[in-house]
């Protein structure tokens, strides 16, 4: 007669241990997989949150909801940037949340160390107030919810983005940015970008 406790219980105990081990391995693989998947993002946008590539935005300090929406728009090709559309095409909703949460925890970019043109900074600050940048993006331009952190963003990226909003080749959630920039000249866009990129 088989002694169930003597023969089966050790097998069940071993199976339980094996399942636990596989769960640990699976968890490690998932963590490694995320690390591998996020590496290209950091290569372009800066592993510390500050981009060193021309016209590529810094992502450090961006609100998670803003990042989530942008990644969704890229995945759905509602924002057409080929490299980003390709990167996000297979993202699940959980991936979108995981990436946006991770990237939002990177530190915001520091202001550049180069000297500043006081006259341009002053012109830019006047334009920031006149055009209500600090009403939507916060007084410190840190952003909130679905509105991006723009303080100390790359100057070249700011120029590119502001020009795209003005000429209507980049669309916001609504027409606000296009309306705000309609009367703004290109020289003023340059002053705005200069000041926002060095915002203290």
């Amino acid at each position: 007669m088989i002694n169930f406790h003597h023969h089966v219980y050790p097998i069940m105990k071993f199976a339980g241990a094996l399942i636990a081990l596989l769960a640990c391995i699976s968890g490690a693989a998932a963590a490694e997989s995320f690390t591998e998947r996020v590496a290209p993002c950091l290569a372009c946008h800066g592993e510390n949150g500050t981009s060193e590539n021309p016209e590529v935005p810094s992502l450090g300090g961006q609100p998670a909801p803003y990042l989530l929406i942008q990644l969704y728009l890229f995945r759905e090709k509602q924002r057409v940037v080929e490299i980003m559309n390709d990167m996000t095409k297979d993202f699940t909703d959980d991936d979108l949340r995981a990436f946006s949460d991770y990237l939002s925890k990177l530190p915001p970019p520091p202001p550049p160390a180069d000297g500043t043109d006081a006259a341009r900074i002053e012109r830019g600050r006047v334009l920031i107030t006149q055009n209500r940048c600090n009403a939507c993006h916060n007084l410190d331009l840190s952003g909130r919810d679905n509105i991006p952190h723009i303080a100390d963003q790359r100057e070249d990226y700011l120029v590119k983005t502001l020009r795209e909003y003005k000429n209507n080749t980049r669309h916001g959630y609504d027409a606000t940015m296009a309306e705000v920039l309609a009367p703004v000249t290109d020289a003023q866009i340059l002053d705005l970008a200069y000041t926002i990129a060095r915002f203290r």
Side-chain angles (χ1 to χ4, degrees), residues 33-134:
S33 175
F34 181 80
T35 300
E36 290 173 352
R37 292 176 71 193
V38 81
C41 306
L42 303 180
C44 283
H45 293 277
E47 62 181 275
N48 62 350
T50 301
S51 170
E52 296 181 3
N53 291 322
E55 296 189 353
V56 174
S58 297
L59 299 182
Q62 293 296 349
Y66 170 75
L67 291 170
L68 179 63
I69 292 169
Q70 296 306 306
L71 289 172
Y72 173 82
L73 294 176
F74 284 129
R75 185 187 71 179
E76 302 301 311
K77 294 188 176 179
Q78 293 181 26
R79 272 196 70 193
V80 179
V81 178
E82 188 174 342
I83 188 170
M84 290 302 303
N85 301 139
D86 188 58
M87 288 285 296
T88 57
K89 65 182 179 182
D90 296 322
F91 275 22
T92 65
D93 289 348
D94 285 341
D95 289 334
L96 296 180
R97 284 187 284 270
F99 274 74
S100 59
D101 287 345
Y102 175 84
L103 295 170
S104 72
K105 292 178 174 64
L106 297 174
D114 64 345
T116 56
D117 181 329
R120 290 191 73 188
I121 292 288
E122 182 55 31
R123 290 199 301 270
R125 285 189 174 275
V126 170
L127 288 166
I128 285 169
T129 302
Q130 283 179 348
N131 294 286
R132 308 184 304 282
C133 307
N134 50 9

Side-chain angles (χ1 to χ4, degrees), residues 11-34:
I11 295 172
M12 293 177 65
K13 188 174 180 181
F14 173 76
L18 182 60
I19 290 169
L21 176 61
L22 289 173
C24 287
I25 292 171
S26 174
E32 182 181 4
S33 175
F34 181 80

Side-chain angles (χ1 to χ4, degrees), residues 112 114-131 141 154-156 158-160 162-163 184-200:
D114 64 345
T116 56
D117 181 329
R120 290 191 73 188
I121 292 288
E122 182 55 31
R123 290 199 301 270
R125 285 189 174 275
V126 170
L127 288 166
I128 285 169
T129 302
Q130 283 179 348
N131 294 286
L141 306 185
R154 285 190 64 93
E155 183 178 355
D156 51 10
L158 289 167
V159 170
K160 173 179 179 290
L162 290 169
R163 283 173 172 166
V184 177
T185 67
D186 198 63
Q188 290 174 326
I189 282 177
L190 295 178
D191 283 340
L192 272 170
Y194 183 88
T195 301
I196 293 169
R198 294 163 177 79
F199 202 83
R200 290 174 171 81

Side-chain angles (χ1 to χ4, degrees), residues 135-171:
C136 289
H137 294 273
N138 287 342
L139 292 175
D140 59 358
L141 306 185
S142 62
R144 64 178 185 275
D145 300 324
N146 63 337
I147 299 173
H149 177 122
I150 57 174
D152 306 316
Q153 182 58 265
R154 285 190 64 93
E155 183 178 355
D156 51 10
Y157 178 74
L158 289 167
V159 170
K160 173 179 179 290
T161 303
L162 290 169
R163 283 173 172 166
E164 288 172 348
Y165 278 128
K166 181 175 173 63
N167 65 28
N168 212 29
T169 57
R170 176 170 177 171
H171 308 286

